């Protein structure tokens, strides 16, 4: 998979999960893709939410891996 295809697939994954985050007043942005790691920024109500790490691992990371299996880690950076 080329870098461009990888980015497109990661964006598709984020589009799939975004409505769930937005329904709770949050959102997510793609910051970077480096080797096997995707860096995102949780936004809005997701910032400081007590379950944001669970959301990141069980929701976001799982969805990204469905579209891009070579991704091993998803990291959230604080704003």
């Amino acid at each position: 998979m080329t870098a461009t295809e990888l980015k497109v697939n990661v964006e598709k994954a984020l589009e799939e999960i975004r409505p769930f985050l937005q329904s709770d007043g949050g959102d997510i942005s793609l910051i970077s893709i480096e080797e096997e790691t995707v860096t995102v920024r949780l936004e809005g109500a997701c910032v400081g939410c007590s379950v944001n790490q669970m959301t990141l691992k069980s929701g976001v990371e799982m969805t990204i891996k469905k579209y891009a299996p070579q991704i091993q880690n998803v990291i959230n950076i604080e704003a």
Side-chain angles (χ1 to χ4, degrees), residues 28-44:
I28 191 167
S29 296
L30 175 62
I31 304 302
S32 68
I33 303 172
E34 295 177 22
E35 297 181 21
E36 299 175 340
T37 301
V38 172
T39 303
V40 296
R41 179 181 296 125
L42 292 171
E43 301 170 345

Side-chain angles (χ1 to χ4, degrees), residues 48-66:
C49 175
S50 62
V51 295
N52 73 7
Q53 285 307 306
M54 187 176 71
T55 299
L56 186 68
K57 289 294 175 193
S58 64
V60 177
E61 188 171 286
M62 185 177 70
T63 305
I64 287 174
K65 286 180 177 181
K66 180 172 78 172

Side-chain angles (χ1 to χ4, degrees), residues 7-8 21 25 41 47 55 60-61 70:
K7 183 175 184 198
V8 167
L21 298 174
R41 179 181 296 125
V47 176
T55 299
V60 177
E61 188 171 286
Q70 67 269 46

